[in-house]
């Protein structure tokens, strides 16, 4: 499984590196705080896998990284994609390292 750290994702976003950010958290979690990723709840990601890009990195994130690890594994098994990354530590790590002003639940 491939992981990406929040510092690398922050650099990609700052530099405009092409990537797709997918937020698999529940709607109430996204309402509390978010990174502007495409909202696809965890329970719908496999049926919506065709909406994932294949020509650039796809970063899957959740709150802590546990759900995104499971989703990346499932997508790799189902789709055979090698451009998937789980955000290490999820949005909580982003809040701690990149944007401490975020208030997440």
């Amino acid at each position: 499984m491939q992981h990406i750290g929040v510092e690398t994702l922050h650099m990609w976003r700052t530099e405009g590196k092409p990537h797709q950010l997918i937020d698999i958290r529940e709607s109430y979690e996204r309402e509390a705080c978010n990174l502007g990723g495409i909202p696809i709840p965890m329970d719908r990601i496999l049926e919506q896998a065709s909406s994932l890009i294949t020509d650039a990195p796809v970063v899957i994130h959740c709150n802590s990284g546990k759900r995104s690890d499971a989703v990346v594994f499932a997508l790799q098994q189902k789709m055979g994609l090698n451009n998937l990354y789980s955000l290490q530590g999820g949005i909580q790590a982003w809040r701690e390292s990149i944007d401490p002003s975020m208030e997440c639940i």
Side-chain angles (χ1 to χ4, degrees):
M1 169 159 340
Q2 299 180 98
H3 290 95
I4 184 173
V6 294
E7 293 83 7
T8 301
L9 178 60
H10 180 63
M11 182 179 64
W12 286 5
R13 292 171 64 125
T14 302
E15 296 175 353
K17 177 182 168 91
H19 68 282
Q20 186 178 46
L21 181 63
I22 306 293
D23 186 341
I24 61 165
R25 298 174 304 144
E26 298 296 325
S27 60
Y28 72 90
E29 293 174 288
R30 288 191 307 273
E31 289 170 9
C33 67
N34 70 72
L35 300 176
I38 298 167
I40 305 176
M42 181 177 179
D43 63 352
R44 294 200 186 115
I45 191 79
L46 289 177
E47 65 192 39
Q48 294 185 26
S50 62
S51 64
L52 302 178
I53 61 173
T54 58
D55 59 348
V58 175
V59 179
I60 310 285
H61 89 83
C62 63
N63 189 54
S64 68
K66 291 178 183 172
R67 288 177 283 178
S68 59
D69 280 355
V71 164
V72 167
F73 180 78
L75 285 168
Q76 287 174 330
Q77 295 299 307
K78 179 182 178 179
M79 307 289 292
L81 299 173
N82 62 0
N83 64 325
L84 303 174
Y85 296 84
S86 175
L87 183 62
Q88 281 185 311
I91 200 166
Q92 291 299 330
W94 181 274
R95 184 182 59 79
E96 290 170 15
S97 298
I98 307 298
D99 188 357
S101 69
M102 291 180 85
E103 293 190 24
C104 301
I105 54 173

